[in-house]
Amino acid sequence: MQIFCAWQEKELLNQAEAILDRLGISVSVFIDMTYRQVIMRDGVPFSLDIPDKLVTRDSITQAEFDTMMQTGLAQAKKNDSVSVDEAFNQLKSEI
């Protein structure tokens, strides 16, 4: 065994640890799991790709836009939604 030390932004660390805690995984176990995956895959165990472009209204067809709007309407009718605060929290956690 060897001690591992890394500096992280406090908020990033807090968010990640809260998720790991909900999963019942300690930070040490997560680091161990990640290192083992790097070894097993002989590389990083997740994609590091940068998307070619973001999906914007002018980058999709009318049919794709209509489908997206119909999906949103169906979700709204089923009350399958989240509050504005929750939506922004989800977006922030993905950054």
Side-chain angles (χ1 to χ4, degrees), residues 5-44:
C5 182
W7 290 98
Q8 296 296 320
E9 292 179 30
K10 185 175 183 174
E11 185 58 30
L12 177 72
L13 190 62
N14 290 342
Q15 289 178 13
E17 286 181 354
I19 293 167
L20 291 174
D21 189 51
R22 286 195 330 248
L23 294 170
I25 301 171
S26 70
V27 173
S28 294
V29 168
F30 178 75
I31 292 170
D32 184 71
M33 289 169 33
T34 305
Y35 273 39
R36 290 177 187 278
Q37 285 293 314
V38 167
I39 293 165
M40 285 174 49
R41 295 171 187 264
D42 196 25
V44 178

Side-chain angles (χ1 to χ4, degrees), residues 38-80:
V38 167
I39 293 165
M40 285 174 49
R41 295 171 187 264
D42 196 25
V44 178
F46 48 83
S47 173
L48 295 174
D49 297 339
I50 297 173
D52 291 334
K53 61 181 178 179
L54 296 173
V55 177
T56 59
R57 175 59 187 102
D58 61 342
S59 70
I60 60 176
T61 66
Q62 185 65 43
E64 291 170 322
F65 177 75
D66 291 344
T67 299
M68 189 181 295
M69 293 296 104
Q70 287 296 324
T71 300
L73 179 60
Q75 287 175 322
K77 286 180 177 180
K78 292 188 300 186
N79 200 24
D80 181 15

